[in-house]
Amino acid sequence: MINPRLKAKQIYLIFSIALIFASCGRNKKVDLSHINIEVKVERFDHDFDAMRTKPMGAQAVYLQQKYGSFYQDFISRILQAGTTNDTAYFKTLHEVFKGKAYIDLKHDVDAAYPNMDAQNASLTQAFKYIKYYYPQKRLPQVYAYFSGFQAQTSIGDGYFAIGLDLFLGADSRFYPALTNAFPHYLSRHFTPENITPRVVEGIAREDMFPEDDNNKSMLEKMVYNGKIMYFMDQILPEVGDTTKIGYTTAQLKWCEDFKAKIWAYFLEENLLYEADYPKIQKYFTEAPFTPGLGEKNESAPKLAVWTGWQIVREYMDKHTEVTLPQLMAEKDAQKILNQSKYRPK
């Protein structure tokens, strides 16, 4: 690490310019003008709140008609209030609506999201990119709701739902009380600008490209995750790498500074072909840092995800004839590694 303050700004500027040039090379300009899509996030949270003041039975029918399977999933899985086949769950709804916790949460969500114009625009752009590469893809309806601090996103039959209570901003008054479930290294990313990246990542991982159960080795999992991240590169060309992977600027710089040592460590520890998940889990999961690597707990987490991303990027830089759908369909992780000629220095 280089510490002198005189050099800090210059080093950061060089690093930023390098990232800009690298991203320009791999994010090709594409023409989206012929793709007619407009995403409007439906405010389920508002329609649901109307049950508080309108006749509950009539509003329930309206919600079932408008939101279909999502309404059923919300009642049974999120509220865990039973089934929509009868009205016994109305009792739970009355309890929810009269509670101070609900009123406080609604106040803060409405303050953070008086409208979703920014999210509508960014999701429209992202969905156009998905349609450009996958013209036959049936894209989901997008709904906004309160998850009760259970899930940022939910995916189901024809829908993708956004839990606005987990996108209130890093300084939300609610998150300090939830540190067991969502420690600060997670909640610092609970911001409005993270909505579209998490939607795109969720569609990629859970709908379009779920991981093959046969992916056992660390290399296979690295390349799979690298492909997901590269997919996000192409669908979200204006979004920074820190947001896509959920790093701080310092963590991303740490990976760049030590990428050769990270790769050497994986090789020296014979981890690439390790298939015992408990042994490799820490290189894929969210954490404040990676235990055993770096000084003073300054290492970045998810080092296998980040490294897989770099491998796939180098593979695609060297094979410009390979389309995004061809990349995502390629199952041979060893081939991608070999042809990437990944040798970080």
Side-chain angles (χ1 to χ4, degrees):
M1 294 291 197
I2 302 173
N3 294 320
R5 292 187 178 182
L6 281 175
K7 295 185 178 180
K9 185 176 289 188
Q10 180 182 3
I11 292 165
Y12 179 75
L13 179 62
I14 293 170
F15 179 67
S16 299
I17 291 172
L19 284 180
I20 290 169
F21 279 121
S23 63
C24 286
R26 63 175 61 99
N27 291 323
K28 302 169 186 174
K29 289 283 186 181
V30 300
D31 181 10
L32 304 176
S33 61
H34 63 289
I35 301 175
N36 295 316
I37 291 176
E38 183 175 358
V39 176
K40 180 185 177 184
V41 179
E42 295 289 347
R43 294 298 295 265
F44 175 84
D45 58 316
H46 289 173
D47 289 337
F48 175 70
D49 184 66
M51 297 182 87
R52 201 160 48 96
T53 54
K54 294 182 178 180
M56 190 167 283
Q59 187 66 8
V61 171
Y62 171 75
L63 290 171
Q64 287 176 325
Q65 292 175 342
K66 182 174 181 179
Y67 294 99
S69 61
F70 174 67
Y71 182 64
Q72 300 169 36
D73 292 345
F74 177 79
I75 296 299
S76 62
R77 297 180 184 178
I78 301 299
L79 288 185
Q80 299 181 9
T83 175
T84 57
N85 292 335
D86 60 53
T87 59
Y89 71 93
F90 284 7
K91 180 180 179 181
T92 300
L93 298 189
H94 284 298
E95 292 298 319
V96 168
F97 288 136
K98 71 181 183 182
K100 185 175 184 298
Y102 173 82
I103 299 300
D104 287 348
L105 182 56
K106 174 176 165 48
H107 173 274
D108 284 24
V109 170
D110 287 347
Y113 296 99
N115 61 65
M116 299 201 71
D117 293 349
Q119 288 72 35
N120 290 336
S122 61
L123 284 168
T124 294
Q125 186 76 351
F127 279 25
K128 284 185 176 183
Y129 273 103
I130 293 175
K131 271 290 190 181
Y132 174 85
Y133 290 108
Y134 293 87
Q136 305 306 314
K137 173 61 184 170
R138 179 173 171 264
L139 292 166
Q141 296 293 314
V142 184
Y143 305 141
Y145 76 116
F146 301 169
S147 75
F149 302 108
Q150 293 186 52
Q152 275 198 317
T153 58
S154 303
I155 191 166
D157 183 15
Y159 72 78
F160 197 102
I162 303 163
L164 294 181
D165 45 343
L166 289 175
F167 289 103
L168 288 175
D171 59 350
S172 168
R173 58 173 167 159
F174 294 108
Y175 300 152
L178 301 171
T179 53
N180 286 337
F182 302 109
H184 178 66
Y185 66 82
L186 292 178
S187 64
R188 69 184 177 216
H189 302 297
F190 291 179
T191 59
E193 58 267 25
N194 269 281
I195 286 180
T196 295
R198 301 292 72 83
V199 171
V200 170
E201 184 175 12
I203 290 173
R205 289 186 182 277
E206 303 298 328
D207 178 23
M208 297 180 71
F209 318 108
E211 185 171 12
D212 192 325
D213 290 339
N214 293 320
N215 280 1
K216 303 294 185 184
S217 73
M218 179 157 159
L219 176 61
E220 289 168 329
K221 290 182 175 295
M222 284 172 64
V223 171
Y224 167 76
N225 280 279
K227 291 195 299 181
I228 295 295
M229 298 306 301
Y230 188 85
F231 178 83
M232 294 179 70
D233 283 341
Q234 305 312 303
I235 305 305
L236 301 167
E238 306 301 321
V239 174
D241 285 359
T242 53
T243 302
K244 280 179 284 195
I245 197 170
Y247 278 175
T248 64
T249 301
Q251 287 172 335
L252 183 64
K253 187 176 186 305
W254 188 92
C255 286
E256 290 287 346
D257 288 345
F258 294 100
K259 59 186 176 183
K261 292 185 178 180
I262 295 167
W263 185 240
Y265 178 82
F266 288 164
L267 296 179
E268 290 166 4
E269 297 295 318
N270 297 315
L271 289 172
L272 288 192
Y273 304 102
E274 178 59 67
D276 184 357
Y277 190 65
K279 289 185 179 180
I280 60 176
Q281 181 179 12
K282 67 179 181 179
Y283 304 112
F284 291 95
T285 52
E286 296 284 358
F289 57 90
T290 299
L293 287 172
E295 298 177 358
K296 300 178 182 178
N297 297 336
E298 63 183 0
S299 61
K302 300 189 295 187
L303 294 180
V305 176
W306 184 84
T307 302
W309 192 10
Q310 311 318 304
I311 290 170
V312 172
R313 280 176 163 178
E314 293 210 11
Y315 171 78
M316 292 299 283
D317 285 348
K318 290 179 172 65
H319 297 276
T320 55
E321 77 285 359
V322 176
T323 66
L324 181 62
Q326 288 171 337
L327 168 70
M328 301 310 292
E330 178 59 67
K331 303 297 185 184
D332 191 339
Q334 188 67 55
K335 171 186 172 182
I336 290 176
L337 173 62
N338 291 346
Q339 295 189 10
S340 74
K341 303 187 187 308
Y342 186 65
R343 303 289 188 275
K345 296 178 181 179

